[in-house]
Amino acid sequence: MTSGGPRLYELLDDRFRAGRCMNGDESLEVLYTGCRWAEGPLYVPAWRQVVWSDIPNDRMLRWDEETGAVSVFRRSAGHPNGNTLDREGRLITCEQGNRRVTRTEHDGTVTVLADRWQGKRLNSPNDAAVKSDGSIWFSDPDFGITSDYEGYRARSEIGAGNVYRVDPSTGEVRLVADGFDAPNGLVFSADERRLFVSDTRAGLIRVFGVRDGGTLTEGSVFVEAGLRLGARFDNLRFDDGGRLWAAATNDGVHCYDPDGTLIGRLNVPEAVANISWGGAKRNRLFITAETSLYSVVMGVTGTHPTGPGRRPWQLPEEPVPTPPPWA
């Protein structure tokens, strides 16, 4: 089923067309509708499925790429939000209601990776990114404790929304960036030298330099939402051309050139919460927006959530056999 409404692609700069960002499907495909507030889409190559969160309904759903069937992946899931994969292909989930970040092991058991900082309970972890060294970085706004709709109403023990890093060796949770109104989506650049973090309430995206040892530079503003009505940034993803794609709530999906110019956007009939690349070629963009899961096959290819290097679903290259002496 495809969605109606305005034209899917909005050209704001010729670089949007030149980068083949407008090539592909002419309309969105509706894969599922019936959520209260959909977030956290993640394409899992080994399963050929998309898992995503329906926060108020306290469940995770899955869509099967082969059959198109949708089923419940996990119920009473801690009012989950963002999902990603670690370097071993295990599911990392930010559980707003449980105020923690977890890892689902290959045998299905759940390991708590972070639930406190300096002895204080986290607010409501929102989104996570995994670096190639195995460290897990996550945002912690207060969305899940402001009411009972997406979690459980409570006071913040920390008193601020920050970004944290979980050390892959020790499990230590360390604050790496603060000063946000509401930190939300985060993503590393392809070379992992920069970390981009959206600040939803401030209507901007900040960028930080990543130092050796897992610390960040002070950071600066990469883009602001400007005057576009309803644009409040949520999660972020890169394509392999270095363009940053941002879920922009009531303003669809934004596409930014590496220099920070807004070059185009995707019109979506509902408020966009999160986006994620997937499919066999990673050129299928999955979009969670209010009640629905959408997708569009595009002319650009997205980067993988586990970062640079060989992709988990790619087999090692076959060695070239040595010719026999008589050949």
Side-chain angles (χ1 to χ4, degrees):
M1 181 172 59
T2 59
S3 64
R7 183 177 175 85
L8 176 60
Y9 304 98
E10 182 179 342
L11 176 68
L12 301 174
D13 185 290
D14 283 340
R15 285 173 285 183
F16 194 55
R17 179 187 291 113
R20 304 182 66 82
C21 299
M22 299 174 66
N23 291 29
D25 293 346
E26 291 296 321
S27 61
L28 293 171
E29 183 178 1
V30 182
L31 303 179
Y32 178 80
T33 189
C35 298
R36 275 197 163 90
W37 183 257
E39 291 252 17
L42 172 69
Y43 181 80
V44 184
W47 305 346
R48 293 191 61 194
Q49 293 179 345
V50 174
V51 296
W52 80 97
S53 304
D54 182 3
I55 303 176
N57 284 326
D58 193 15
R59 63 179 182 171
M60 295 175 68
L61 301 172
R62 56 185 168 193
W63 169 84
D64 188 272
E65 185 177 32
E66 182 65 26
T67 66
V70 173
S71 59
V72 173
F73 173 71
R74 181 177 294 162
R75 201 184 299 275
S76 298
H79 295 279
N81 195 318
N83 299 287
T84 191
L85 295 175
D86 72 3
R87 301 292 291 183
E88 297 182 34
R90 295 171 296 189
L91 177 65
I92 305 296
T93 301
C94 294
E95 300 180 9
Q96 284 192 172
N98 289 334
R99 300 170 72 169
R100 65 187 191 179
V101 180
T102 63
R103 180 179 67 219
T104 301
E105 309 295 347
H106 292 305
D107 64 2
T109 58
V110 175
T111 300
V112 177
L113 301 177
D115 61 1
R116 294 179 183 272
W117 172 67
Q118 294 187 346
K120 301 174 183 178
R121 291 192 70 186
L122 299 173
N123 297 323
S124 56
N126 185 285
D127 195 18
V130 179
K131 200 166 177 285
S132 60
D133 63 0
S135 58
I136 296 171
W137 304 57
F138 67 93
S139 59
D140 186 42
D142 62 0
F143 301 148
I145 59 174
T146 56
S147 74
D148 291 322
Y149 187 68
E150 293 190 354
Y152 301 97
R153 185 186 306 174
R155 67 176 182 86
S156 171
E157 297 184 13
I158 296 172
N162 304 313
V163 173
Y164 300 92
R165 175 185 184 270
V166 181
D167 187 273
S169 300
T170 66
E172 176 195 10
V173 179
R174 186 173 66 197
L175 188 152
V176 290
D178 56 14
F180 299 93
D181 289 345
N184 198 323
L186 68 167
V187 66
F188 287 101
S189 60
D191 59 10
E192 297 187 330
R193 294 179 180 176
R194 294 180 296 167
L195 177 70
F196 293 75
V197 184
S198 67
D199 190 337
T200 300
R201 292 197 183 107
L204 54 82
I205 299 171
R206 293 168 63 183
V207 57
F208 302 84
V210 182
R211 301 189 185 102
D212 293 340
T215 61
L216 301 177
T217 62
E218 184 176 342
S220 60
V221 174
F222 177 65
V223 296
E224 295 188 60
L227 300 177
R228 296 195 67 94
L229 181 64
R232 290 292 183 268
F233 298 118
D234 204 304
N235 89 319
L236 311 168
R237 290 291 182 265
F238 275 104
D239 67 26
D240 62 2
R243 291 170 290 262
L244 181 67
W245 296 76
T249 57
N250 292 326
D251 204 39
V253 179
H254 286 194
C255 178
Y256 292 92
D257 188 75
D259 68 3
T261 302
L262 178 62
I263 60 174
R265 61 188 290 274
L266 304 181
N267 288 299
V268 180
E270 298 182 271
V272 178
N274 280 185
I275 56 177
S276 179
W277 298 103
K281 299 179 181 178
R282 299 212 66 78
N283 65 339
R284 189 171 189 174
L285 186 67
F286 294 95
I287 303 169
T288 48
E290 289 190 62
T291 66
S292 307
L293 174 68
Y294 299 89
S295 79
V296 53
V297 179
M298 304 187 68
V300 294
T301 302
T303 56
H304 193 270
T306 60
R310 183 172 63 84
R311 304 306 184 218
W313 64 88
Q314 289 179 330
L315 296 175
E317 293 184 3
E318 292 292 335
V320 178
T322 302
W326 59 85

